[in-house]
Amino acid sequence: MHRNTEPVELEPLTADNLALLLDAAVADADPLEVMPPVDGAPGWNAERKQAFLDFHRGRALLADAPVEYTYLIVVGGRVVGAARLQPGVEGFEAGVWIGRSDRGRGVGRSVAEQLRTVAAEIGARRVVAVTTVDNSAARRLLGTATSTVSGDTVTATSALD
């Protein structure tokens, strides 16, 4: 697979671009990779698409007090995934999903660097990421962060200076 040479940008999620995020998820990701589980047959159906929209409307798009900051990952003008920062006791938890077609091309590394910058700008002192021990791509992105393993879960914490 070739490395991405196009600019990778984080664009804040809005009510106006939420449909673009859903389109990217449906086109290039499994629902279980991008949202909490929804009962029913696997794959994207009308109920799962609505649940995806409701999930984001109830978190990042709450007018008074959003639960998290969510960003579209845009590569060369195309939405290819999402990144989030959720304030918590231990720091801002980071989460990322990238569509299958753009994985392994350096997009995640660029996103991780940008999330650290954004987190610092919004007042975070630490960024925390949680993944599974078998998610080697995510573990590579954790780089020099301090990591702990509990069962099949890896939690990494990185101080922002």
Side-chain angles (χ1 to χ4, degrees):
M1 205 170 277
H2 68 284
R3 287 280 179 220
N4 175 58
T5 57
E6 298 173 296
V8 177
E9 300 172 55
L10 295 183
E11 180 181 319
L13 180 67
T14 66
D16 292 335
N17 64 20
L18 178 56
L20 296 174
L21 184 59
L22 174 60
D23 290 345
V26 170
D28 210 18
D30 185 277
L32 292 175
E33 297 171 323
V34 302
M35 62 184 280
V38 174
D39 289 338
W44 289 102
N45 56 37
E47 293 80 17
R48 199 159 277 118
K49 289 176 185 178
Q50 187 60 52
F52 180 93
L53 296 172
D54 293 344
F55 174 77
H56 287 290
R57 288 180 183 131
R59 296 184 63 79
L61 298 179
L62 286 176
D64 295 337
V67 174
E68 66 188 25
Y69 302 89
T70 301
Y71 305 89
L72 279 65
I73 301 170
V74 181
V75 177
R78 297 176 303 112
V79 176
V80 301
R84 68 176 177 82
L85 290 167
Q86 181 177 342
V89 175
E90 299 297 320
F92 277 54
E93 182 179 334
V96 175
W97 68 263
I98 298 169
R100 290 182 193 112
S101 302
D102 287 277
R103 294 177 190 165
R105 299 181 54 218
V107 174
R109 181 146 323 277
S110 178
V111 168
E113 291 169 7
Q114 291 181 57
L115 276 180
R116 286 178 53 85
T117 300
V118 170
E121 289 171 355
I122 58 178
R125 299 184 74 128
R126 281 186 299 281
V127 174
V128 178
V130 179
T131 191
T132 58
V133 293
D134 62 345
N135 188 340
S136 58
R139 291 188 70 181
R140 279 192 302 276
L141 288 178
L142 301 176
T144 61
T146 303
S147 297
T148 58
V149 178
S150 177
D152 68 345
T153 301
V154 177
T155 303
T157 304
S158 180
L160 302 175
D161 298 327

